[in-house]
Amino acid sequence: MATIALSLLADAPGIIHGVAALVHGFEGLFGKGNGVAKKAAVLQAFKGGTEAFSAVAKDVPQARLPKLTDDSAGALSNLIDAIAAFYHAMGIFQHSTQ
């Protein structure tokens, strides 16, 4: 268990970067508003990506990712909210008012 925790800790910057890229990408696709739809899209994309990675790397024991449980989905949801709030606070997600 400790090995998995240390592995996830070492992988945290990459995971955060990947989620931030998804948040930014879906913001560009959906535009202003639709926060619930954007968040659902990011969650689904992340889940699909981890499932695809696990399927491809099934023969490499150290490359397995844990399944997205309700607890980890809740943490991922909080991470998405934090990244979106940070982007809004930094002015990265500025929408033109027409």
Side-chain angles (χ1 to χ4, degrees), residues 10-81:
D11 294 336
I15 292 170
I16 293 169
H17 179 73
V19 172
L22 287 172
V23 169
H24 196 270
F26 282 111
E27 178 71 18
L29 287 174
F30 285 84
K32 185 177 182 178
N34 302 316
V36 173
K38 289 185 277 193
K39 187 177 194 176
V42 171
L43 285 166
Q44 189 61 35
F46 187 85
K47 182 180 177 186
T50 56
E51 288 173 355
F53 178 80
S54 293
V56 170
K58 65 183 175 187
D59 296 329
V60 183
Q62 66 270 26
R64 291 185 188 221
L65 291 174
K67 292 196 179 236
L68 196 59
T69 63
D70 289 341
D71 289 339
S72 59
L76 180 60
S77 177
N78 291 338
L79 177 61
I80 293 167
D81 290 339

